[in-house]
């Protein structure tokens, strides 16, 4: 760590620390187990050493609403996969999210070009009750699948809560997915009911979803009913959609029966999530109701210090796990802000203005958004009032040091910037923020409580202050319960346990310091390996952030002469040229900031950089293309047409 990096960018005061929920949790743990834990380091060590005690304490602190308590916390902590959590317990996920039924604001919705819409907790409960009644009358039961092909609307949350209240399994795709991308997911799970909006708005344009939906439904014979939410039109024509109902027409006009939340085991399936699918058919990852709930409550209450007084926002679509994470905030009683549309419409300051106008206290976004905001020249501290803002969350890709300095210099000095990292695979985080720890440039503040995260070297040994593979050496409750249609769990084991049997291997390249701070260097399957030296792509991206001539970039390894060479692709800013001076400047900067090993053998200009719909760079797909391999599932990308720019490049043949 350089001297500048040793200085915290933010540090909580003693008064601030004392008021946090994590401090209250430490106090409760000390009292219950007769301990004397004084700080986060001690709490973390205890949480991964005494795992059953930790999760038991969290169950009580959550609190987790249940109709029957567990007979044991975990059956076999050494069994991974396959350890059973909170055996004997009965609960309902939806009931835990709907236990507030007062007139406090639950949801604030702002669509691009739309008026703000609000729902109180009482109104939300009433709407869910009506929808649950209609779904139950339609024959929906526990274990059935309900699919959402929806924008980020309040109706999406209502549909999910009503479905899961009955014990059905919810799965969703964003409406900007291509037809094949949707079918690659929904065909696997055979949904009984689909919710869809008539369309959506993005960047000042209106998009029709019904034409795509009709084609999708033709290949989903299990669908019995389609519920259409009017969004871009007041009364859309749905006559060509078989077995379809407008949202309001589907709801019974009569007074619904009081909702009865199905009481189900802790490991009852709740969500089916999907891997990005950029290198093949997406994995259908099944998450449990209890595991999702307890893990999210831990991260929201302890690591984010979310309370009923907070207004929390995350810029996300319904196809990204951050939507699922955000929605669990209802269990805390916070105000949720949903946004649908482009984050840069009508201008690059739109989201910062939203944070100001709605007095958002916890602002969630992606590293890509923060970088783009800086590139657009946004200086929020000069343009909007962010006095309410206390936390910024960032995920999707590593947050560069330049991004940290941008937030503290151009957005707001007195706030907690939490870079968080985990994934769809665990529907939560391995490393994330912490309200009682300082923030250092380029670092994730800590490993999550109860998550025995380590960095392993190539020999499978723990290393500190060195790069290694992200592993989790002990079981945790939000592990997937299984993959859909995965007989004998073979695909599940191959995905996470082939490399280190009995230990979760996540596929990220990380470093952990002795204080527990974490640095992410990108996906380990995209790790560069010139001359046998492993290099994280994020290290090179961090250098390129400093060049105004570079709008975006992507780096991959190319097999070359029995070794691997680094190839750097640059998307240049308007008016910039990739001349010898810029190439040499980039190489010199990479040499000085990283090492001679990091210097790309080839630096090429490219018209576009491919991203997944959730905003992650697609290094692996580009690596396949430059090696002449096929990328089968292009519908998983936000801009699949960009891949053509990487095909048959003459510069890579010499």
């Amino acid at each position: 760590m350089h001297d500048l990096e040793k200085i915290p960018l933010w540090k909580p005061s003693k008064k601030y620390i004392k008021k946090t929920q994590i401090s209250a949790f430490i106090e409760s743990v000390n009292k219950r187990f007769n301990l004397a834990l004084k700080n986060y380091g001690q709490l973390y060590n205890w949480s991964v050493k005494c795992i059953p005690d930790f999760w038991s304490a969290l169950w009580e602190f959550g609190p987790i609403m249940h109709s029957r308590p567990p007979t044991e916390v975990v059956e076999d902590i050494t069994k991974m996969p396959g350890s059973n959590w909170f055996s004997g317990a009965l609960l309902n996920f939806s009931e835990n999210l709907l236990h507030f039924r007062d007139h406090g604001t639950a949801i604030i919705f702002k669509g691009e070009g739309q008026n703000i819409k609000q729902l109180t907790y009482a109104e939300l409960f009433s709407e869910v009750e009506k929808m649950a009644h209609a779904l139950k009358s339609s024959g929906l039961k526990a274990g059935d699948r309900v699919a959402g092909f929806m924008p980020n609307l309040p109706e999406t949350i209502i549909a999910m809560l009503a479905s899961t209240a009955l014990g059905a399994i919810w799965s969703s795709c964003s409406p900007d997915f291509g037809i094949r991308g949707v079918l690659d997911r929904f065909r696997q799970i055979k949904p009984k009911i689909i919710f869809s909006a008539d369309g959506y708005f993005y960047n000042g344009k209106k998009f029709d979803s019904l034409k795509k939906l009709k084609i999708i439904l033709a290949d989903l014979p299990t669908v019995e009913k389609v519920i259409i939410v009017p969004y871009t039109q007041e009364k859309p024509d749905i006559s060509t959609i078989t077995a379809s109902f407008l949202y309001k027409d589907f709801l019974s006009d009569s007074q619904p029966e009081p909702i009865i939340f199905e009481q189900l085991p802790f490991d009852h399936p709740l969500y089916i999530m999907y891997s990005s699918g950029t290198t093949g058919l997406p994995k259908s990852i099944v998450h449990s109701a209890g595991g999702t709930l307890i893990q999210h409550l831990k991260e929201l209450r302890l690591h984010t210090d979310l309370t009923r007084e907070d207004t929390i926002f995350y810029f996300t679509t319904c196809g990204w796990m951050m939507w699922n994470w955000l929605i669990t905030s209802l269990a805390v009683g916070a105000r949720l802000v949903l946004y649908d549309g482009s984050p840069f419409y009508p201008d690059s300051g739109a989201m910062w203005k939203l944070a100001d106008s709605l007095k958002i206290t916890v602002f969630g976004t992606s590293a890509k958004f923060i970088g783009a905001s800086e590139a657009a020249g946004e200086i929020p501290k000069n343009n909007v009032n962010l006095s309410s803002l206390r936390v910024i969350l960032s995920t999707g890709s590593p947050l560069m040091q330049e991004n940290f300095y941008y937030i503290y210099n151009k957005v707001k000095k007195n706030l907690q910037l939490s870079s968080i990292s985990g994934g769809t695979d665990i529907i939560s985080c391995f490393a994330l923020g912490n309200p009682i720890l300082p923030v250092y440039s380029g670092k994730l503040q800590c490993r999550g409580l109860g998550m025995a995260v380590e960095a392993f070297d190539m020999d499978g040994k723990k290393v500190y202050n060195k790069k290694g593979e992200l592993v989790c050496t002990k079981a945790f409750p939000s592990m997937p319960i299984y993959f859909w249609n995965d007989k004998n769990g073979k695909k599940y084991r191959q995905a996470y346990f082939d490399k280190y049997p009995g230990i979760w291997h996540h596929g990220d390249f990380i470093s952990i310091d002795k204080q527990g701070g974490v640095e992410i260097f990108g996906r380990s399957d995209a790790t560069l390996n010139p001359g046998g030296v492993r290099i994280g792509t994020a290290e090179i991206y961090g250098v390129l952030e400093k060049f105004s001539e570079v709008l975006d970039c992507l780096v991959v390894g190319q097999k070359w002469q029995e070794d691997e060479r680094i190839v750097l692709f640059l998307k240049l800013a308007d008016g910039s040229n990739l001349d010898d001076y810029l190439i040499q400047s980039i190489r010199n900067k990479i040499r000085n900031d990283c090492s001679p090993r990091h210097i790309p053998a080839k630096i090429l200009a490219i018209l576009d950089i491919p991203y997944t719909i959730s905003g992650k760079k697609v290094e692996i797909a580009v690596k396949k293309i430059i090696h002449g391999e096929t990328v089968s599932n292009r519908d998983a990308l936000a801009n699949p047409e960009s891949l053509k720019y990487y095909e048959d490049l003459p510069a890579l043949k010499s």
Side-chain angles (χ1 to χ4, degrees):
M1 191 181 275
H2 301 302
D3 288 342
L4 193 61
E5 296 166 48
K6 294 177 183 177
I7 302 170
L9 297 171
W10 175 82
K11 190 175 181 180
S13 67
K14 289 182 180 178
K15 184 179 178 182
Y16 186 93
I17 290 171
K18 193 173 181 181
K19 288 182 176 180
T20 62
Q21 293 174 85
I22 199 168
S23 291
F25 181 70
I26 291 173
E27 191 176 324
S28 70
V29 163
N30 283 339
K31 188 175 180 180
R32 179 175 173 180
F33 297 102
N34 194 28
L35 301 172
L37 307 176
K38 295 178 181 177
N39 54 45
Y40 183 78
Q42 291 175 356
L43 176 66
Y44 173 78
N45 289 336
W46 171 78
S47 78
V48 295
K49 182 181 178 183
C50 304
I51 283 179
D53 287 348
F54 166 72
W55 290 106
S56 173
L58 195 61
W59 174 280
E60 298 294 334
F61 189 83
I64 305 292
M65 291 180 63
H66 57 279
S67 59
R68 195 168 77 190
T71 53
E72 66 178 336
V73 176
V74 59
E75 187 178 77
D76 185 353
I77 195 63
T78 64
K79 193 176 180 183
M80 191 161 48
S83 51
N84 294 319
W85 291 88
F86 294 96
S87 300
L90 290 179
L91 57 88
N92 184 278
F93 180 82
S94 182
E95 185 177 21
N96 274 272
L97 270 61
L98 290 169
H99 66 95
F100 292 101
R101 299 171 192 177
D102 54 26
H103 297 294
T105 302
I107 296 172
I108 304 169
F109 170 70
K110 177 71 174 81
E112 187 182 287
Q114 309 293 301
N115 293 326
I116 286 177
K117 177 180 176 181
Q118 297 194 39
L119 281 173
T120 66
Y121 272 90
E123 290 168 336
L124 175 63
F125 178 79
S126 176
E127 290 300 309
V128 172
E129 189 168 56
K130 286 186 281 188
M131 179 56 73
H133 178 71
L135 290 170
K136 190 173 183 178
S137 298
S138 297
L140 190 72
K141 59 185 185 303
D144 288 340
R145 276 78 64 209
V146 179
F149 184 53
M150 293 278 288
N152 191 13
L153 306 178
E155 289 85 352
T156 315
I157 297 178
I158 291 164
M160 182 277 286
L161 290 172
S163 301
T164 57
L166 303 176
I169 308 168
W170 177 264
S171 191
S172 61
C173 282
S174 174
D176 53 357
F177 271 52
I179 291 168
R180 181 178 170 184
V182 176
L183 285 173
D184 280 351
R185 289 159 173 78
F186 289 169
R187 257 192 310 224
Q188 295 186 57
I189 67 166
K190 299 178 180 178
K192 190 172 188 176
I193 291 176
I194 282 189
F195 284 84
S196 174
D198 61 334
Y200 62 97
F201 300 95
Y202 195 85
N203 206 26
K205 296 178 182 177
K206 182 168 71 174
F207 294 86
D208 178 24
S209 291
L210 297 182
K211 289 179 182 177
K212 280 202 288 190
L213 180 64
K214 186 177 179 181
I215 299 169
I216 289 164
L217 289 169
D219 213 356
L220 292 175
T222 59
V223 174
E224 296 177 6
K225 284 186 171 65
V226 184
I227 296 95
I228 308 292
V229 177
Y231 177 42
T232 62
Q233 306 170 66
E234 192 172 330
K235 193 161 186 181
D237 179 8
I238 62 171
S239 58
T240 61
I241 307 292
T242 306
S244 63
F245 302 82
L246 289 176
Y247 185 88
K248 286 185 179 178
D249 295 340
F250 180 70
L251 299 176
S252 174
D253 291 331
S254 61
Q255 186 68 26
E257 297 173 3
I259 191 168
I260 298 174
F261 294 98
E262 287 291 324
Q263 297 302 300
L264 301 158
F266 185 88
D267 63 355
H268 181 77
L270 170 75
Y271 291 134
I272 300 176
M273 310 294 291
Y274 304 96
S275 62
S276 61
T278 53
T279 56
L281 198 66
K283 298 190 293 284
S284 296
I285 306 167
V286 186
H287 287 291
S288 72
T292 301
L293 178 64
I294 198 168
Q295 185 77 292
H296 285 185
L297 282 175
K298 179 198 77 178
E299 294 179 350
L300 291 164
R301 290 199 61 191
L302 303 186
H303 287 277
T304 312
D305 200 36
L306 192 75
T307 72
R308 283 218 79 181
E309 306 305 312
D310 281 305
T311 300
I312 182 170
F313 163 79
Y314 220 105
F315 180 77
T316 178
T317 68
C318 301
W320 191 22
M321 63 145 282
M322 295 315 301
W323 180 83
N324 308 75
W325 190 88
L326 171 67
I327 304 315
T328 309
S329 301
L330 292 169
V332 180
R335 293 173 292 276
L336 275 64
V337 174
L338 310 181
Y339 178 80
D340 178 64
S342 167
F344 295 106
Y345 184 85
D347 56 58
S348 56
M351 293 299 96
W352 301 115
K353 292 170 188 170
L354 186 76
D356 177 8
S357 64
L358 298 180
K359 305 303 175 192
I360 290 169
T361 58
V362 180
F363 181 95
T365 187
S366 64
K368 183 183 178 185
F369 169 83
I370 294 172
S373 188
E374 181 178 17
E378 281 298 320
I379 307 178
K381 71 175 186 179
N382 293 344
N383 303 322
V384 290
N385 180 358
L386 298 176
S387 57
S388 300
L389 186 62
R390 65 174 184 83
V391 180
I392 291 180
L393 305 171
S394 170
T395 192
S397 56
L399 194 63
M400 307 298 173
Q401 288 192 19
E402 293 296 310
N403 301 146
F404 279 81
Y405 294 128
Y406 167 71
I407 293 296
Y408 284 104
N409 292 333
K410 303 293 177 67
V411 179
K412 187 179 180 181
K413 282 196 179 298
N414 186 26
L415 59 73
Q416 178 190 348
L417 174 56
S418 297
S419 180
I420 64 179
S421 182
T424 299
D425 312 77
I426 63 166
I427 205 165
S428 57
C429 302
F430 281 122
L432 64 171
N434 193 316
I436 64 174
L437 291 178
V439 173
Y440 293 95
S441 172
K443 296 270 188 179
L444 287 71
Q445 286 175 280
C446 66
R447 293 169 285 182
L449 289 170
M451 309 296 278
V453 174
E454 302 289 352
F456 271 15
D457 64 16
M458 296 183 77
D459 297 322
K461 294 179 180 177
K462 293 181 191 179
V463 291
Y464 293 96
N465 295 311
K466 291 182 180 179
K467 296 166 199 165
E469 294 278 357
L470 190 162
V471 299
C472 196
T473 61
K474 296 181 182 178
F476 50 95
S478 67
M479 290 169 60
I481 43 178
Y482 50 82
F483 287 177
W484 200 261
N485 292 331
D486 178 24
K487 291 182 180 179
N488 304 318
K490 184 179 178 182
K491 291 180 183 176
Y492 184 9
R493 289 190 297 273
Q494 285 177 339
Y496 311 115
F497 300 101
D498 262 10
K499 193 173 182 74
Y500 307 108
I503 290 174
W504 179 287
H505 168 241
H506 194 59
D508 278 349
F509 200 38
I510 70 164
S511 173
I512 303 172
D513 64 33
K514 287 289 186 180
Q515 289 71 44
V518 178
E519 197 168 353
I520 309 281
F521 299 98
R523 294 292 297 169
S524 58
D525 48 12
T527 298
L528 309 169
N529 199 25
V533 177
R534 303 179 82 204
I535 293 170
T537 55
E539 299 171 76
I540 295 175
Y541 294 145
V543 174
L544 271 296
E545 288 271 330
K546 299 164 186 172
F547 286 85
S548 59
E549 299 94 334
V550 178
L551 200 60
D552 204 351
C553 59
L554 184 140
V555 63
V556 297
Q558 182 193 17
K559 294 175 187 173
W560 191 255
Q561 295 179 352
E562 298 182 358
D563 196 355
E564 182 175 279
R565 65 181 181 181
I566 299 174
V567 180
L568 174 63
F569 295 100
L570 304 178
K571 182 180 178 181
L572 298 169
D574 290 343
S576 297
N577 295 306
L578 188 60
D579 53 24
D580 290 342
Y581 177 78
L582 179 58
I583 289 172
Q584 197 55 47
S585 298
I586 289 171
R587 283 181 166 153
N588 288 342
K589 187 67 174 167
I590 290 172
R591 180 192 299 273
N592 292 335
D593 286 14
C594 300
S595 79
R597 287 279 190 190
H598 289 70
I599 299 171
K602 296 278 185 177
I603 300 179
L604 307 176
I606 205 80
L607 291 176
D608 202 6
I609 304 294
Y611 279 88
T612 64
I613 290 171
S614 60
K616 297 180 181 179
K617 291 184 186 185
V618 188
E619 296 152 329
I620 299 168
V622 169
K623 190 172 182 177
K624 283 188 135 191
I625 286 175
I626 68 171
H627 288 107
E629 299 173 27
T630 302
V631 177
S632 56
N633 198 352
R634 299 184 179 219
D635 273 2
L637 303 184
N639 52 340
E641 68 284 348
S642 63
L643 293 182
K644 66 184 180 185
Y645 302 129
Y646 298 85
E647 296 171 356
D648 297 320
L649 293 173
L652 296 185
K653 295 177 180 177
S654 62

